Amino acid sequence: MYLIFYPGKFFPNRILGVLVLSWSVTVFVFILHTTVFYERYPHLYALLDVFTLMFFPLMYLYLRNYLYRDIRHPRLQYLHFIPALLYLIMLSPFFFQSAGEKLEMMKNGFPSWYLNVQLSFNLVIILQGIFYSIFCLRTIHQFKYFRKNHLSPFQLSTLKWLQLFVLINIFLWMVGTTGAILEIAGIKLFLDLFKVFYSGLTLFTIVLGIFTIKRPELFSEPEDLKKLVSVSRPTGQRDISEQNMKDYEVISALIEREKPYLKNDLKMQDLVESTGITYRRISEVFNKNFNKSFYEVMNEYRLNEAKILMQEGFHKNHTLSYLAEKAGFNSKTTFNRIFKKFTGITPTDYIKDLDDTSV
């Protein structure tokens, strides 16, 4: 509740609060997972297991929303909860059974369809752990790589906290997954890995709670983080231009180094993902620093790339359509139009002049 309601309207905190709630419910279920408990409350059987399917989606969404504040289609984030929704739908025939019928199944064994559904979702949880772990670590790495020189020491320490947060989750997931695999294989160890997993989850929840109460600033708005480590100064046009120049340097370096314009379907959102700079600020860089639109700049780079390929003789062994594709254009028609717009001649005429000059 502390994470959900403090501080203010910072959305990532609410996601983290729901994640901690999911952990708490799961630990609660594990502790009370006894025959006596479910004989008293049969309608809770298997129902609360749905929270397990929310662990990794919530962890990834917390990370994404914390680092990138201008997610263009926030409602699409709900798609990450499709497995949890499917779990409820596919087990609904069981959930809608009477208390007596559920108790009968618990005593005499569950039908094969129920066991198959549970097994399927156990596999889904394992796959979630693999893919979301990769997504989370990749997101942190990308953000740190492109923004490291533009973050304060305090913000960098926050980034280390996020990385540690993800790594602890991955470690606990590996322990729990190993326990599940060994249980399926019928192998028993001297140590109950499930108890290790749930004990670790409980300890992590408590430590996270204490840490958050002691240092709530780590969960504040990114702008507030800057205020904590920098001397306050009047805001004005100077601050905006400084930030604008920093963004320009990062974007220019990315374009020169990574050559994103070679991607035929490149969008400005791809630069947002690569740099960690917001969509609005990137748009501002193109309008103010380049004094051109995003697509105009990208097409100029593509045009220069096409000229380099022609000068290297690429056109002698390949078609113009393939050359245009290699330069980043999505079609030969677009290539011809852009080429003539900037050079005043067609690609064919340019090649002819190039060949005549070389002769």
Side-chain angles (χ1 to χ4, degrees):
M1 293 303 101
Y2 180 83
L3 283 166
I4 291 173
F5 294 109
Y6 180 92
K9 299 179 180 179
F10 191 39
F11 184 62
N13 273 9
R14 301 187 181 186
I15 299 176
L16 186 60
V18 176
L19 175 59
V20 174
L21 175 64
S22 301
W23 292 343
S24 304
V25 171
T26 305
V27 173
F28 169 82
V29 171
F30 177 75
I31 292 170
L32 298 178
H33 196 282
T34 61
T35 306
V36 175
F37 177 78
Y38 285 116
E39 283 178 354
R40 290 184 179 181
Y41 309 102
H43 290 301
L44 288 180
Y45 192 87
L47 181 62
L48 300 178
D49 292 344
V50 69
F51 284 96
T52 311
L53 288 160
M54 296 170 65
F55 283 5
F56 277 97
L58 285 169
M59 181 178 76
Y60 175 69
L61 293 179
Y62 167 66
L63 204 64
R64 286 279 299 154
N65 284 270
Y66 190 97
L67 296 177
Y68 300 100
R69 298 189 57 202
D70 65 330
I71 296 175
R72 298 185 66 186
H73 304 290
R75 292 186 179 180
L76 291 180
Q77 296 185 110
Y78 291 112
L79 295 177
H80 291 276
F81 301 108
I82 287 178
L85 181 62
L86 287 175
Y87 176 87
L88 295 174
I89 292 173
M90 294 181 72
L91 284 182
S92 59
F94 171 77
F95 294 140
F96 287 112
Q97 296 281 344
S98 66
E101 289 171 321
K102 289 180 180 179
L103 288 170
E104 190 68 25
M105 288 185 191
M106 291 180 212
K107 292 177 182 177
N108 301 323
F110 293 94
S112 58
W113 70 266
Y114 175 90
L115 297 174
N116 290 333
V117 170
Q118 288 285 19
L119 178 61
S120 299
F121 280 100
N122 285 337
L123 293 175
V124 169
I125 292 170
I126 293 173
L127 292 175
Q128 278 186 332
I130 296 171
F131 289 109
Y132 279 105
S133 296
I134 295 171
F135 294 156
C136 289
L137 293 175
R138 182 175 175 271
T139 300
I140 293 175
H141 174 74
Q142 273 192 333
F143 187 86
K144 189 175 182 180
Y145 181 79
F146 290 110
R147 299 291 289 166
K148 186 175 182 179
N149 295 330
H150 305 279
L151 296 174
S152 67
F154 194 88
Q155 289 172 307
L156 285 172
S157 71
T158 304
L159 206 58
K160 288 180 181 178
W161 142 253
L162 290 173
Q163 192 167 21
L164 179 63
F165 170 79
V166 172
L167 291 174
I168 291 173
N169 273 278
I170 292 173
F171 172 75
L172 292 174
W173 166 81
M174 290 175 64
V175 172
T177 301
T178 303
I181 293 172
L182 292 177
E183 185 179 59
I184 293 171
I187 301 172
K188 290 187 177 182
L189 296 179
F190 67 94
L191 187 67
D192 189 336
L193 292 180
F194 284 115
K195 289 183 178 179
V196 175
F197 169 72
Y198 286 105
S199 298
L201 202 57
T202 303
L203 181 63
F204 187 42
T205 305
I206 294 169
V207 171
L208 178 63
I210 296 171
F211 184 76
T212 308
I213 292 169
K214 283 191 171 184
R215 300 190 68 183
E217 63 271 12
L218 285 183
F219 300 89
S220 299
E221 298 276 3
E223 285 78 4
D224 294 338
L225 290 175
K226 293 179 183 178
K227 293 175 185 177
L228 288 166
V229 294
S230 60
V231 178
S232 60
R233 58 183 177 181
T235 58
Q237 189 62 34
R238 182 169 176 271
D239 292 330
I240 296 173
S241 63
E242 283 181 5
Q243 181 64 63
N244 183 254
M245 285 305 300
K246 288 180 181 178
D247 293 342
Y248 172 70
E249 290 170 8
V250 172
I251 293 168
S252 298
L254 173 73
I255 293 173
E256 294 293 338
R257 183 178 62 252
E258 303 292 336
K259 296 186 176 182
Y261 50 84
L262 297 180
K263 183 181 177 184
N264 304 101
D265 58 346
L266 180 71
K267 299 180 181 64
M268 199 185 297
Q269 182 63 27
D270 294 320
L271 296 188
V272 175
E273 299 285 343
S274 298
T275 62
I277 303 173
T278 66
Y279 192 94
R280 180 185 60 78
R281 280 161 50 192
I282 290 179
S283 179
E284 189 175 282
V285 166
F286 282 101
N287 292 332
K288 289 186 177 181
N289 300 77
F290 288 101
N291 200 26
K292 295 171 184 175
S293 71
F294 166 74
Y295 288 106
E296 285 177 330
V297 174
M298 293 302 106
N299 283 331
E300 283 187 15
Y301 274 100
R302 287 166 179 158
L303 181 62
N304 290 331
E305 186 72 22
K307 286 181 179 180
I308 291 170
L309 290 174
M310 290 174 182
Q311 290 164 9
E312 292 174 349
F314 188 87
H315 60 283
K316 294 179 181 179
N317 300 315
H318 302 88
T319 63
L320 268 181
S321 297
Y322 186 57
L323 185 147
E325 182 184 339
K326 288 288 289 183
F329 291 97
N330 55 16
S331 70
K332 184 182 176 182
T333 304
T334 304
F335 171 55
N336 289 333
R337 177 173 56 80
I338 298 298
F339 199 98
K340 189 168 184 179
K341 176 182 176 182
F342 284 96
T343 65
I345 59 175
T346 64
T348 305
D349 292 335
Y350 181 85
I351 290 172
K352 186 178 178 182
D353 293 343
L354 196 64
D355 291 340
D356 291 341
T357 303
S358 64
V359 171

